[in-house]
Amino acid sequence: MKILSSPSETQAFLRNISRAGRTIGLVPTMGCLHNGHLSLVRRARAENDFVVASIFVNPTQFGPSEDLAAYPRNIGRDTALLEAEGADLLFCPQSSDMYLQGFSTSVAVSDVSERLCGEFRPGHFTGVATVVCKLFNIAGADKAYFGAKDYQQTVVIRRMARDLNIGTEIIICPTVREADGLAMSSRNSYLAPDERKAATVLYRALSAARNAAENGERNAGNLVLLMREIIGAEPLATIEYAEAADADTLGPIGSIGEIAGPVVLALAARIGKTRLIDNLVV
Ligand code: AMP
């Protein structure tokens, strides 16, 4: 596996891959890889001639009081894992090369960025959209792979790609979970053992709401109440938001709250100090 850190060198190298008629699959990550990330790499490996994974802990998507400095990093282990999955290139740029002195451009995807996590993490999705747009321009990939675990992120990126005529096809892959249902996340490494047990409450709440919907509950407000009740019963959990939203637009479910089409059940909660998110589409 080749490793490059210079954006311009990576762009030139990948342009030659494309010109040689080989398809490129891109998997953007912030590293500290787990099976969720690797599932994207496997899918990319199966569908493309050349697989690029990027590792970049993007400072512009972290708020001033968030965990940028503490975010887990393990480039040695990540390199070995990507190599084992058959990735062809690891792109791991420095922040100073991604954001040159005087950097002054950003990609703001209004509307879908403002709901759910957007209310609690102002500027987060502008940071995400900007860096993903840069990665798309650097990689010139045919396809790029994202996890449904970060549901709102997939909606923001698809909207950006559509609005800006980005030629890269966006592929969304299912959330990979631990045996007890907890969605895999680099941030799970922050959890103390009692918190790790408590963290299963997110998936329990989502599953209960999904079961209720599958058993005929059509009122979005009732699904939200059910999720809140379950999370409220876990002393180590503090809810940030629990919502049932239109799965395409992330907008609220009609004025009477009756579900008609696909709905995303979305949760954010703190377990101790660790903020976790999860979702299910019903
Ligand atoms: P991150 O390193 O957290 O920025 O994640 C990089 C990519 O991996 C994003 O597209 C995430 O949605 C995806 N991802 C993270 N966790 C999971 C998971 N448990 N299952 C599937 N994809 C995931």
Side-chain angles (χ1 to χ4, degrees), residues 27-37 39-40 56 61 71 145-151 153-154 173-177 182-187:
V27 182
T29 82
M30 298 205 298
C32 203
L33 303 181
H34 50 66
N35 251 315
H37 299 113
S39 71
L40 309 185
F56 180 55
Q61 70 190 68
Y71 196 83
Y145 297 80
F146 296 89
K149 151 81 171 33
D150 299 278
Y151 190 85
Q153 174 170 281
T154 68
C173 305
T175 301
V176 177
R177 300 179 179 281
L182 177 66
M184 289 189 183
S185 164
S186 308
R187 290 191 168 98

Side-chain angles (χ1 to χ4, degrees), residues 23-202:
T23 59
I24 297 172
L26 169 69
V27 182
T29 82
M30 298 205 298
C32 203
L33 303 181
H34 50 66
N35 251 315
H37 299 113
L38 298 180
S39 71
L40 309 185
V41 177
R42 279 176 214 135
R43 174 95 183 260
R45 180 70 286 166
E47 296 182 352
N48 299 276
D49 299 325
F50 194 92
V51 174
V52 189
S54 64
I55 295 181
F56 180 55
V57 182
N58 173 37
T60 67
Q61 70 190 68
F62 287 78
S65 59
E66 293 184 353
D67 57 343
L68 173 62
Y71 196 83
R73 291 158 169 92
N74 194 339
I75 193 75
R77 181 174 173 274
D78 289 350
T79 305
L81 289 170
L82 290 170
E83 189 115 51
E85 294 298 339
D88 298 294
L89 170 65
L90 167 58
F91 172 53
C92 46
Q94 296 295 313
S95 194
S96 53
D97 291 328
M98 286 294 269
Y99 298 107
L100 299 176
Q101 197 104 44
F103 187 92
S104 50
T105 304
S106 60
V107 180
V109 184
S110 62
D111 190 40
V112 290
S113 291
E114 285 144 24
R115 309 168 197 279
L116 305 175
C117 288
E119 278 187 43
F120 298 88
R121 304 186 72 187
H124 169 68
F125 288 113
T126 297
V128 169
T130 303
V131 81
V132 170
C133 186
K134 285 170 67 68
L135 291 169
F136 284 176
N137 285 332
I138 292 165
D142 296 272
K143 294 179 176 163
Y145 297 80
F146 296 89
K149 151 81 171 33
D150 299 278
Y151 190 85
Q152 187 171 13
Q153 174 170 281
T154 68
V155 174
V156 169
I157 289 167
R158 275 188 308 196
R159 180 69 61 90
M160 169 185 79
R162 188 201 71 172
D163 289 354
L164 298 184
N165 304 89
I166 287 173
T168 302
E169 185 186 348
I170 313 295
I171 313 279
I172 312 298
C173 305
T175 301
V176 177
R177 300 179 179 281
E178 303 285 357
D180 60 7
L182 177 66
M184 289 189 183
S185 164
S186 308
R187 290 191 168 98
N188 292 350
S189 64
Y190 298 149
L191 299 169
D194 55 336
E195 294 173 337
R196 170 63 187 78
K197 276 190 199 144
T200 58
V201 75
L202 276 82

